[in-house]
């Protein structure tokens, strides 16, 4: 099955204590789409400006990503620049230039509307709603979000929650959304707001799933070197959705393995700037890391 | 086999956002000894003042802890008081009164000297050395430590490391000791300082083992309510050592399960003030949590 992925398609300029790179391929949909592409065909929905490098279009194509839903609008591509501190956990936004993203209206090509797996990657909740409005009858809808939307678009986000099967968010966002410090309690509270399952991402500490079936604690793949964690969360959810779209059997049964594959694709993401290390991954390499992770966690 | 445990035996006064308790049984050796007692006989080495409540001696005895090495000295028992913030991860020391602990000279009864499993729970490295000096030929020596000793007794601690098989410390201590931000690299660096294995504790995020055999990523037992995390790290290492002392086969092979049991006893510790919830645990309850943890982590 294909995965439809809507989100931001951007250019990222990233500074870390050791290096600086400008106008890398970035955005939640780019990271998620490339990550999902290792497992299932991807249909991308996004917008870029007429300055968007051809090389990145070629890169999407190399990953067999369907670009029928990628609009090219006159103007500049969304550009984000940020800086990481030494420990890579603290990130500071230096500039955000929305460009063509400001007036983005995600319009689905007819060929996309029957997609059974839908990932509403991080983007304004209003646009996530708009994509869902155009879908026929998806089998699984998962949304990601970020603190910005909790701050400036909370009502739309709250209205979205009953429309999705799963919500993926990070620790601090879960706490902010629920005013609950304990993450397991926060996840339960979020499930009462609509989604059937909630996944809380904890970066290097892994992620956990809270659903009616209970909890699943997923480890992160251990890395001795983190080059650039930008997009790791998007890669996690992208890899997860790709795996789910390609797996057989009930989704509840596949979610655990899907999270593990998400963690592994996210580990590649952290090993290079932008999507450079993710694109170098192979399905065989991913399987090798999965076996390693199994070995490192069994007791 | 018995586990010899040396460390602090103290009275703790603890304030959390919800409650306040004074003069609870505390100290690294108390938490570790009670936790180890679920798995193996414990020999305690410590000092208390003549103000030490009889009820706590009775409690040690209830756990069949050998108290031949517990000195009762004229004066006051070591008293620590601290306060937790809302999220329970930030702790502030309000007062430390060393009392009889200031002149503590751990003297091992002859009957202790043949102990094969030795836990040097958190205490000044000089005292940890002094205990080792008195041992015959232990099979396994594990040391815990804290930031205080990194700050004021680093040379003694560095001299201790080649004398122990394993070192257990938390994330920030590992970073401080190695000046290395990445924890997996930090653990490797510490192994080069002497210990055959290093365990880095990450609180609610679990712990990991770094040894010549590779890594093991241990989850924390998920808790919806943390009442008081004081002593959780001591309980972890105590439970781990108790399990190891009672297990058959090579230590390297038993370490993973031992860490899981450590995590589980630590989860009980967090559910009550001082040792109150730990002492209420049962071996059957511990096994039940182990099965649950297996269930929550398999993929």
């Amino acid at each position: 099955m294909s995965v439809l992925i809507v989100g931001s398609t951007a250019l990222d300029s990233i500074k870390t204590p050791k290096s600086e790179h400008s106008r890398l391929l970035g955005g939640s949909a780019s990271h998620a789409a490339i990550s999902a592409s290792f497992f299932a065909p991807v249909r991308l929905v996004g917008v870029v400006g007429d300055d968007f490098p051809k090389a990145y279009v070629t890169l999407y194509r190399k990953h067999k990503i369907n670009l029928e839903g990628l609009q090219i609008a006159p103007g500049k591509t969304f550009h984000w620049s940020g800086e990481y501190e030494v420990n890579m956990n603290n990130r500071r936004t230096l500039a955000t230039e929305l460009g063509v993203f400001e007036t983005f209206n995600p319009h689905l090509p007819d060929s996309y509307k029957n997609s059974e797996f839908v990932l509403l990657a991080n983007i304004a909740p209003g646009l996530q709603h708009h994509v869902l409005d155009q879908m026929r009858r998806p089998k699984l809808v998962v949304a990601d979000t970020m603190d910005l939307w909790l701050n400036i678009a909370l009502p739309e986000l709250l209205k979205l929650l009953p429309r999705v099967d799963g919500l993926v968010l990070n620790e601090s966002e879960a706490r902010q959304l629920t005013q609950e410090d304990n993450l397991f309690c926060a996840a339960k509270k979020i499930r009462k707001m609509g989604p059937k399952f909630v996944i809380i991402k904890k970066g290097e500490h892994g992620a956990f799933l809270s659903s009616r079936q209970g909890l699943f604690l997923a480890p992160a793949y251990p890395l001795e070197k983190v080059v650039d964690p930008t997009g790791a969360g998007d890669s996690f959810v992208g890899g997860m959705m790709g795996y789910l779209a390609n797996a057989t059997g009930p989704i509840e049964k596949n979610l655990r393995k899907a999270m593990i594959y998400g963690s592994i694709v996210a580990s590649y993401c952290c090993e290079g700037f932008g999507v450079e290390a993710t694109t170098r991954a192979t399905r065989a390499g991913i399987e090798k890391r999965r076996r390693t992770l199994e070995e490192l966690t069994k007791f």
Side-chain angles (χ1 to χ4, degrees), chain A residues 39-255:
Chain A
F39 307 95
V42 176
R43 297 166 170 174
L44 184 67
V45 181
V47 66
V48 294
D50 44 26
D51 62 342
F52 192 67
K54 289 263 181 311
Y56 294 160
V57 174
T58 309
L59 189 64
Y60 284 143
R61 290 226 165 94
K62 203 190 116 203
H63 284 270
K64 302 195 168 42
I65 295 166
N66 184 332
L67 301 179
E68 220 187 311
L70 181 68
Q71 302 168 28
I72 300 177
K76 288 194 163 178
T77 303
F78 176 29
H79 180 230
W80 175 83
S81 62
E83 187 175 4
Y84 285 90
E85 285 175 23
V86 180
N87 85 359
M88 293 286 173
N89 287 324
N90 298 322
R91 179 167 82 180
R92 201 159 61 90
T93 290
L94 300 174
T96 306
E97 299 147 273
L98 288 175
V100 296
F101 206 67
E102 195 156 11
T103 54
F104 178 40
N105 181 15
H107 179 75
L108 300 199
D110 279 341
S111 64
Y112 278 26
K113 293 181 180 169
N114 64 351
S115 305
E116 296 200 336
F117 291 82
V118 178
L119 171 56
L120 308 172
N122 175 31
I123 196 174
L127 302 181
Q128 293 175 317
H129 274 287
H130 189 52
V131 166
L132 279 190
D133 291 342
Q134 299 168 71
M135 298 298 306
R136 246 164 239 146
R137 193 186 263 274
K139 195 169 159 187
L140 179 74
V141 178
V142 171
D144 197 348
T145 194
M146 75 183 289
D147 53 354
L148 175 67
W149 313 122
L150 298 175
N151 293 331
I152 70 168
L154 187 58
E156 288 98 317
L157 182 64
L158 292 175
K159 260 185 267 168
L160 183 77
L161 295 183
R163 299 187 72 189
V164 304
D165 299 289
L167 181 70
V168 177
L169 73 181
N170 73 25
E171 293 174 272
S172 60
E173 292 154 5
R175 291 195 170 107
Q176 185 179 344
L177 179 57
T178 58
Q179 303 296 311
E180 167 64 51
D181 193 67
N182 182 290
L183 292 175
F184 302 111
C185 296
K188 272 191 183 167
K189 273 197 181 175
I190 297 171
R191 277 164 49 212
K192 287 197 182 128
M193 299 175 184
K196 286 200 273 293
F197 65 86
V198 171
I199 291 171
I200 297 186
K201 297 174 288 183
K202 307 190 294 174
E204 61 175 317
H205 302 301
F208 73 87
L209 165 71
S210 167
S211 72
R212 217 165 36 186
Q213 286 79 34
L215 293 172
F216 169 58
L217 313 176
Y221 186 86
L223 291 177
E224 291 198 356
K225 198 174 170 198
V226 172
V227 173
D228 168 23
T230 313
D234 307 310
S235 300
F236 169 81
V237 70
M240 183 184 96
M241 285 299 280
Y243 179 82
L244 287 172
N246 192 47
T248 51
I251 287 165
E252 311 84 74
K253 283 204 125 183
N254 297 327
L255 256 176

